[in-house]
């Protein structure tokens, strides 16, 4: 991770607020994620982790505060002192630079593994197949699935499908990767391969924000951990420190419940 203090944060959240009707899900989130940093968001279900992740790439709109990725506001343009919502094409351009891996794999069932990887770069980035194919094959090798290029999703295990989903997101050559509990839908014996693929990705210097319940992964791979409770970040610090010596009683209670 780079320690250059003058760098523009890859993610900057300032006072981010999000409600659904009268239910306030995010109550003022402040968080900077530096280029090359891995930050894990932990906390009980309903604490706002996934909502915050979805706000980063404007899958959810925020009701207050600001979110910027690599110095650019997400979903809005500033004109003077006012913010104006971006057009769908502008949002899509921003989103194309942010990879996201969900709990469910969302692969196209009628396409081969390789075709799943090629689809978005061809459709969104208007790239030719021959431009993208070498990268796609390299990424499949990177996640240990070089021999599955011509297989269909139904022929793969859940863990293999999730690794394809990671490779597919990387095929867009994003500057930031978001992971929303990517192992929660997997059988326990399949979790390790997916986490190993994520560890390998972190080692390349990719900036990652990861919502996870995998505490060993968070301790070993994250630079920092943010513990969320009821829509706020209660504790934020170096990963090993937060897990071994949490300072807030809410963090201690949560970590006791998942060990």
């Amino acid at each position: 991770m780079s320690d250059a203090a003058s760098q523009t944060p890859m993610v900057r959240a300032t006072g981010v607020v999000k409600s659904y009707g009268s239910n306030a899900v995010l109550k003022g989130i402040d968080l900077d994620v530096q280029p090359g940093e891995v930050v894990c968001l932990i906390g009980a279900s309903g604490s706002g982790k996934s909502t915050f992740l979805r706000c980063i790439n404007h899958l959810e709109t925020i009701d207050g505060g600001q979110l910027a990725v690599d110095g650019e506001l997400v979903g809005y343009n500033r004109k003077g002192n006012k913010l104006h919502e971006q057009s769908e094409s502008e949002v899509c351009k921003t989103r194309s630079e942010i990879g996201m891996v969900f709990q469910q794999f969302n692969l196209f069932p009628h396409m081969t593994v390789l075709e799943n990887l090629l689809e978005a770069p061809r459709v969104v980035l208007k790239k030719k197949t021959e431009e993208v194919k070498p990268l796609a094959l390299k990424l499949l090798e990177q996640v240990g699935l070089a021999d599955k290029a011509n297989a269909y999703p139904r022929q793969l295990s859940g863990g293999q499908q999730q690794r394809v989903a990671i490779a597919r997101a990387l095929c867009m050559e994003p500057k930031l990767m978001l992971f929303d509990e990517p192992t929660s839908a997997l059988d326990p014996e399949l979790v390790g391969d997916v986490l190993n693929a994520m560890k390998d990705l972190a080692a390349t210097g990719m900036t990652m924000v990861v919502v996870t319940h995998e505490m060993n992964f968070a301790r070993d791979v994250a630079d920092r951990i943010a513990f969320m409770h009821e829509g706020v970040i209660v504790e934020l610090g170096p990963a090993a420190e937060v897990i071994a010596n949490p300072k807030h009683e809410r963090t201690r209670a949560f970590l006791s419940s998942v060990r």
Side-chain angles (χ1 to χ4, degrees):
M1 174 182 129
S2 173
D3 58 2
S6 61
Q7 274 190 310
T8 300
M10 184 58 74
V11 178
R12 169 159 281 175
T14 310
V16 171
V17 174
K18 174 67 180 177
S19 297
Y20 298 102
S22 60
N23 180 25
V25 180
L26 302 177
K27 302 172 185 174
I29 300 291
D30 295 307
L31 179 67
D32 281 1
V33 180
Q34 300 302 328
E37 188 177 24
V38 178
V39 173
C40 282
L41 306 179
I42 66 170
S45 296
S47 59
K49 308 180 304 295
S50 294
T51 299
F52 176 57
L53 205 69
R54 291 171 65 86
C55 288
I56 292 174
N57 67 353
H58 208 60
L59 287 175
E60 298 284 354
T61 56
I62 62 176
D63 300 320
Q66 290 186 9
L67 259 171
V69 171
D70 201 17
E72 300 289 330
L73 289 177
V74 177
Y76 300 91
N77 294 319
R78 181 183 295 284
K79 294 177 183 172
N81 292 324
K82 292 191 175 179
L83 295 180
H84 300 267
E85 194 147 3
Q86 290 180 338
S87 67
E88 188 59 31
S89 63
E90 288 176 301
V91 171
C92 284
K93 182 184 182 305
T94 302
R95 206 176 279 148
S96 72
E97 298 176 329
I98 304 171
M100 187 156 182
V101 178
F102 300 86
Q103 294 178 27
Q104 302 300 329
F105 325 122
N106 299 321
L107 300 177
F108 296 114
H110 62 289
M111 293 182 179
T112 65
V113 164
L114 181 58
E115 288 167 343
N116 266 280
L117 267 66
L118 297 175
E119 181 71 1
R122 290 189 299 202
V123 173
V124 178
L125 303 180
K126 309 301 182 190
K127 290 190 173 183
K128 292 183 165 53
T129 299
E130 56 268 27
E131 275 184 89
V132 188
K133 191 172 179 181
L135 174 61
L137 293 172
K138 178 184 171 187
L139 289 168
L140 286 177
E141 186 174 355
Q142 193 174 308
V143 298
L145 294 171
D147 60 333
K148 301 295 184 184
N150 296 316
Y152 286 88
R154 65 179 178 276
Q155 298 170 307
L156 306 179
S157 71
Q160 289 172 326
Q161 289 187 61
Q162 192 61 297
R163 282 185 281 152
V164 171
I166 293 171
R168 178 180 61 179
L170 291 173
C171 214
M172 291 290 285
E173 300 185 84
K175 59 176 73 170
L176 168 68
M177 283 287 289
L178 310 176
F179 293 86
D180 187 8
E181 298 195 42
T183 60
S184 65
L186 301 178
D187 293 331
E189 66 271 18
L190 303 176
V191 168
D193 287 341
V194 173
L195 293 180
N196 285 335
M198 293 170 64
K199 285 179 186 177
D200 291 343
L201 178 59
T204 69
M206 175 63 73
T207 311
M208 297 165 57
V209 183
V210 184
V211 173
T212 186
H213 283 100
E214 300 287 342
M215 291 304 117
N216 288 336
F217 172 85
R219 183 192 62 224
D220 296 343
V221 179
D223 294 290
R224 289 185 299 153
I225 286 176
F227 170 66
M228 291 183 64
H229 178 72
E230 295 184 350
V232 296
I233 293 177
V234 170
E235 187 163 347
L236 174 67
E241 197 175 297
V242 170
I243 287 182
N245 187 30
K247 293 179 173 57
H248 198 285
E249 62 180 283
R250 294 281 186 190
T251 319
R252 288 196 291 271
F254 171 75
L255 289 171
S256 296
S257 74
V258 295
R259 279 175 182 148

